[in-house]
């Protein structure tokens, strides 16, 4: 959810932008109020799946059916827009019923209205594109050429918008991060089941038709489960939890990992009076050990080591005869200015 309100396109569109329909689609179908994805890897996989599905669909319509079935594609597009228009609000309504145990609908009113606007805009663009191509046959040559150019611009605009919407699914990520994968899964499965029930195999035999139809929902479901699992494990975002109870997740934030060189370490947060206490939420994090107590005036310096004083009866404290304070048996005296001398009595003077 977003607290600050900005313009729909955030001022990114200019007059020259309309020469590139994909740029207009990027600004219109991914407006400024939609939060950025937190997992770029999953977003790239979803876009790759959309592109692969589009290539497969064009290949089926072009090569398998012996020509590009443009009319059938327009019909399928109109059916898809109708499914999106009715199924998306229904699925969101079911989730609102589940979330009412821990929150209210009023808390989600703003992102829900924005998401509904984006859905209506996309469905309207789809139906407009279909209507332009169908109505072009009713006019003369010049109007037909103009309508065809407009229809081609709208077709590129809608296809680019579909790619952008594959990530945020009509801005539902602004309501709940787990809504886009859920809505994508429900929508693709419903459309696939309807094709199987009606026997519409798109001109393919039974085996290839089933594989082609089930390819979209199976891959979408796999990516949806991967996305929701990563959201749950990395950011604590659960589908059944009300969005108001979820922790804030900044856009593009990476999950916290231990510092390099210490794979088992934990992250520490300073606590007043306890600079080495473990961070909240990490009760098992070991605190670093302070080997020396700080000295007054030097809070970060180790305490100086005090020399050991000689102990009576132990002239060589700590086994070091050269330590300060240890008496030497060979020290000079008034009677022996050159120190003591022990005769060897004919024995080895170098003996021990």
């Amino acid at each position: 959810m977003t607290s600050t309100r900005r313009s729909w396109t955030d001022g990114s569109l200019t007059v020259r932008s309309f020469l590139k329909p994909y740029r207009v689609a990027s600004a219109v179908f991914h407006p400024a109020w939609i939060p950025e994805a937190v997992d770029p890897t999953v977003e790239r996989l979803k876009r790759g799946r959309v592109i692969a599905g589009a290539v497969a669909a064009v290949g089926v319509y072009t090569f398998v059916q012996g020509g590009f079935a443009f009319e059938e594609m327009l019909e399928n597009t109109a059916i898809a827009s109708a499914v999106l228009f009715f199924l998306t609000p229904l699925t969101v309504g079911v989730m609102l019923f589940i979330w009412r145990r821990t929150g209210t609908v009023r808390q989600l009113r703003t992102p829900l209205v924005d998401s509904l606007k984006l859905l209506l805009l996309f469905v309207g663009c789809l139906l407009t594109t279909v209507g332009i191509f169908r109505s072009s046959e009713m006019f003369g040559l010049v109007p037909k050429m103009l309508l065809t150019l407009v229809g081609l611009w709208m077709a590129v605009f809608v296809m680019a918008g579909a790619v952008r919407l594959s990530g945020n699914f009509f801005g539902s990520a602004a309501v709940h991060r787990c809504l886009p994968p859920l809505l994508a899964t429900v929508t693709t499965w419903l459309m696939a089941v309807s094709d199987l029930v009606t026997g519409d195999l798109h001109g393919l035999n039974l085996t290839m038709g089933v594989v082609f139809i089930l390819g979209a929902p199976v891959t979408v479901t796999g990516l949806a489960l991967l996305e929701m699992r990563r959201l749950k494990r990395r950011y604590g975002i659960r589908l059944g939890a009300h969005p108001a109870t979820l922790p804030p997740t900044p856009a593009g934030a990476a999950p916290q990992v231990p510092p390099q060189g210490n794979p088992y370490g934990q992250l520490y947060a300073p606590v007043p009076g306890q600079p080495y206490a473990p961070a909240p939420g990490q009760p098992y994090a070991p605190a670093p050990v302070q080997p020396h107590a700080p000295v007054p005036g030097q809070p970060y310096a180790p305490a100086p080591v005090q020399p050991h004083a000689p102990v009576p009866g132990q002239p060589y404290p700590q086994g070091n005869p050269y330590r300060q304070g240890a008496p030497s048996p060979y020290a000079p005296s008034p009677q022996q200015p050159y120190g003591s001398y022990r005769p060897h009595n004919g024995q080895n003077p170098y003996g021990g």
Side-chain angles (χ1 to χ4, degrees), residues 137-343:
E137 301 294 335
M138 303 170 56
F139 297 94
L141 180 60
V142 176
K144 182 178 179 180
M145 292 179 59
L146 293 177
L147 287 176
T148 302
L149 291 176
V150 175
L152 290 175
W153 191 96
M154 288 295 298
V156 176
F157 172 73
V158 170
M159 288 187 292
V163 175
R164 295 297 295 175
L165 290 173
S166 65
N168 58 67
F169 212 90
F170 307 107
S172 56
V175 182
H176 195 292
R177 292 283 186 176
C178 290
L179 268 183
L182 174 66
L183 292 173
T185 302
V186 173
T187 303
T188 53
W189 272 110
L190 180 63
M191 297 184 67
V193 170
S194 64
D195 287 341
L196 292 177
V197 171
T198 58
D200 184 9
L201 301 181
H202 305 282
L204 302 173
N205 57 40
L206 180 61
T207 303
M208 292 299 298
V210 172
V211 172
F212 176 75
I213 293 174
L214 294 182
V218 169
T219 54
V220 169
T221 303
L223 290 177
L225 293 176
L226 174 64
E227 183 177 4
M228 288 191 286
R229 180 183 179 186
R230 290 164 74 99
L231 288 173
K232 178 181 177 181
R233 296 183 60 182
R234 295 189 173 194
Y235 307 101
I237 300 177
R238 300 173 180 269
L239 177 62
H242 191 278
T245 64
L246 297 175
T249 305
Q256 292 185 346
V257 296
Q260 297 295 327
N262 185 10
Y264 304 100
Q266 301 288 341
L267 300 177
Y268 295 92
V271 180
Q274 299 180 1
Y276 297 98
Q282 299 176 355
Y284 303 103
V289 181
Q290 300 186 64
H292 302 287
V295 180
Q298 298 180 355
Y300 301 103
V305 180
Q306 301 292 336
H308 297 278
V311 182
Q314 297 180 4
Y316 309 108
Q318 303 297 326
N320 185 2
Y322 302 101
R323 196 172 185 84
Q324 183 179 2
S328 175
Y330 300 100
S333 63
Q335 293 80 13
Q336 297 179 350
Y338 299 103
S340 60
Y341 173 75
R342 297 178 182 178

Side-chain angles (χ1 to χ4, degrees), residues 19-33:
L19 298 176
K20 301 177 180 179
Y22 62 89
R23 180 172 296 180
V24 180
S26 178
V28 172
F29 293 116
H30 192 88
W33 50 266

